[in-house]
Amino acid sequence: MRARRSVALALTGLLAAAALAACSNGDGKTNTGAAGGATVLNVGMPNGPQTENHNPFLGSSSGASLGYRWMIFEPLVMINGIKPTEAGKPWLATEWKWEANFTKLSFTIRDGVKWSDGKPMTAEDVAYTFQLRKDNDGLNSDAIPYKTITQTGNKVDLTFERSQFVNQNKLLTVFVIPKHQWSTLKDPSQDTLKQPIGTGPYKLKSFTPQTTTLELRDSYWQELPKVKELRYTSYNDNNAQTTALANGASEWSFVFVPNVKAVYQDKDPKNHKLYFPANLGIHGLWINTTNKPFDDPALRRAMDKVINRDDIFMQGEAGYFYPKVESITGIPTPAGESFIAPEFKDKKHAVDVEGAKADLAAAGYKLEGDVLKDKTGKPVEITLTNPAGWSDYITDLEIIKDNLSTIGIKATVDKANQDAWFKAFDEGTFEAGMHWTNGGATPYDIYQNIMDGKILKPVGKGGISGNYGRFSSPEATQLLDTYANATDDATRTTALNGLQKIMVEQMPVIPTSASNVGGLYSTKNWTGWPDEQNSYAPGQPTQQNALEIVLKLKPAGSQ
């Protein structure tokens, strides 16, 4: 999975902060039990008012936006998102085995697990979960080539059309859904789920556009967590979320804070913590390559040459949030240093306005005054769009707008509604905007997310999990296939080197920053959080590992 950025970041909304803080237990009066220990954990995200939808498949649902879907729906195997090469932890599956060069996967399903409505979870539910993905393109966002799905007793066997070496973790971490509920839905890829039934330790208690509350179930297949109630508040913007973190109304979030030490850490140096572990994914300017003249790699390369990654890091990302990507390949360093091809080893990105102008002239573009004309004589213009509340991305876009003006491209920054933006990226109706990629154990996941023809869909058709720019390159798709199906490291290295060459020469995405899966949290009421010394999980509350974190939390001061 990629390190999903389900977070809105804005520079307005101080009044909303005060109002929403009151909604999220800022006074602490209901946060403790009779013995004085904490019972409620307040989680916040700056994503604005939510529309009720607990469908775990939908990235735009309230469950995904705030992260609480992972407290209800559990995976077969729990994989540490920042240590993806480590062996996973048995969860709803007690055992799993790969065979035949990763074309067969067998699970042994855990006994004694019950759904939140009291019915037993069985291997039949697991088989149905995979069959549903196979039968619905909208649910098979990673384009897994399922072949057969069979169930016998507590065993589930999957076979695939080709090697799933690169999709191992995606398959192991599939969340399981109940057949008796989902078989009644008309369109599982789109239907609104109002009464979610899961195997997780929590169930839905109440929903409002501002706050979703989960309550602890009476029983659970593991030891019940100490957190009795989870309150997920969706603040209007990053300023409101930051205010809530600073005053203790919110105890856990993933949000961009421009002056994080003064605004957050110094408010309570003992308890206010930052934990931002990196993963091998990137952020950058995604360009809709179906739009002219931006279907021209020469234009995209010139744009890359003038975009100032230093300014984006220091101003847009406040010098800490998303580190600068220096390699022209887009591979983050030092994490990806060993994967960079020899020909690109020492080649780092540097702003070169004059070089960009020369390249554009050679490609048939004309700079007339401060206006760049394309090969047909039309001015080159582009709309850069991101949700209004995502302040770091919006600042990044303002920087990019100014950068592009140096080569005569007129850019407009559109501060969009979040739902509309998600839809535009999903269906390919945008022109350009900042977005993230998947992260994984190798750069394959980055390039697959950007260039894979297998997840390429025409403009207007959604339900994708990458290639938002609709980049079409049969060569890239073939190299991705070669990497995925290789039986030796040498073949994989050759394929990855070829993908780097395509990235450098065609620039389907202009990389700017490396990803993290971080979080800000308070140890005032709860302890047991992951940190640099105990990195058992990512720190982001919208990641699947958030469930593992909640299971490990204990009231401060308890034994």
Side-chain angles (χ1 to χ4, degrees), residues 310-368:
D310 287 304
D311 285 351
I312 286 174
F313 176 56
M314 294 306 299
Q315 298 174 34
E317 305 303 331
Y320 84 97
F321 198 62
Y322 293 135
K324 180 179 72 169
V325 170
E326 294 189 317
S327 173
I328 63 172
T329 65
I331 296 175
T333 54
E337 187 71 46
S338 64
F339 296 103
I340 297 177
E343 63 182 300
F344 303 126
K345 207 68 168 178
D346 300 316
K347 294 186 177 180
K348 297 182 178 180
H349 179 270
V351 174
D352 183 4
V353 175
E354 294 308 311
K357 289 178 179 178
D359 291 347
L360 287 168
Y365 295 81
K366 292 183 179 180
L367 186 60
E368 299 180 359

Side-chain angles (χ1 to χ4, degrees), residues 84-163:
T85 60
E86 287 188 354
K89 296 178 181 178
W91 217 259
L92 295 183
T94 57
E95 295 179 348
W96 57 96
K97 182 181 180 182
W98 287 98
E99 297 178 283
N101 191 29
F102 298 93
T103 60
K104 181 179 180 181
L105 173 60
S106 300
F107 288 106
T108 301
I109 307 305
R110 187 180 298 278
D111 291 326
V113 179
K114 290 187 176 182
W115 298 106
S116 54
D117 63 357
K119 296 181 180 180
M121 184 211 74
T122 67
E124 184 180 1
D125 290 306
V126 175
Y128 174 80
T129 292
F130 282 108
Q131 191 68 46
L132 197 64
R133 285 169 164 83
K134 178 185 178 183
D135 294 342
N136 293 268
D137 287 344
L139 304 183
N140 189 16
S141 57
D142 294 308
I144 302 295
Y146 293 105
K147 190 175 180 181
T148 63
I149 300 167
T150 57
Q151 175 254 324
T152 305
N154 68 342
K155 307 285 186 180
V156 174
D157 293 328
L158 312 175
T159 63
F160 308 94
E161 299 288 350
R162 55 185 178 274
S163 172

Side-chain angles (χ1 to χ4, degrees), residues 468-487:
Y468 302 105
R470 268 60 181 181
F471 178 70
S472 179
S473 168
E475 181 187 2
T477 301
Q478 181 58 56
L479 288 169
L480 289 165
D481 275 351
T482 299
Y483 185 97
N485 291 287
T487 57

Side-chain angles (χ1 to χ4, degrees), residues 237-273:
D237 49 55
N238 82 312
N239 229 356
Q241 175 65 77
T242 301
T243 299
L245 282 166
N247 67 27
S250 184
E251 299 171 280
W252 188 14
S253 184
F254 173 63
V255 60
F256 173 68
V257 182
N259 189 5
V260 69
K261 186 176 187 301
V263 173
Y264 176 64
Q265 291 174 290
D266 287 351
K267 299 297 183 182
D268 187 350
K270 179 183 176 182
N271 295 305
H272 286 180
K273 306 295 183 182

Side-chain angles (χ1 to χ4, degrees), residues 282-322:
I282 63 172
H283 295 249
L285 184 70
W286 290 64
I287 299 167
N288 191 328
T289 61
T290 66
N291 292 337
K292 291 186 177 299
F294 301 98
D295 59 341
D296 184 358
L299 178 58
R300 300 195 298 266
R301 289 197 305 269
M303 293 167 68
D304 173 64
K305 280 190 174 182
V306 301
I307 290 177
N308 194 316
R309 300 184 189 182
D310 287 304
D311 285 351
I312 286 174
F313 176 56
M314 294 306 299
Q315 298 174 34
E317 305 303 331
Y320 84 97
F321 198 62
Y322 293 135

Side-chain angles (χ1 to χ4, degrees), residues 1-2 56-57 69-70 73-81 83-84 86-89 91-93 96 98 105 107 129-130 133 142 144 146 158 166-177 439 543-545 548:
M1 297 260 317
R2 62 180 163 87
F57 287 101
R69 60 177 169 175
W70 305 127
F73 299 96
E74 297 187 286
L76 289 160
V77 182
M78 187 69 78
I79 302 288
N80 187 340
K83 297 180 180 179
E86 287 188 354
K89 296 178 181 178
W91 217 259
L92 295 183
W96 57 96
W98 287 98
L105 173 60
F107 288 106
T129 292
F130 282 108
R133 285 169 164 83
D142 294 308
I144 302 295
Y146 293 105
L158 312 175
V166 297
N167 290 324
Q168 295 176 65
N169 288 358
K170 293 175 183 176
L171 285 156
L172 295 178
T173 57
V174 158
F175 58 85
V176 182
I177 54 174
Q543 294 292 301
Q544 194 171 63
N545 298 93
E548 190 174 7

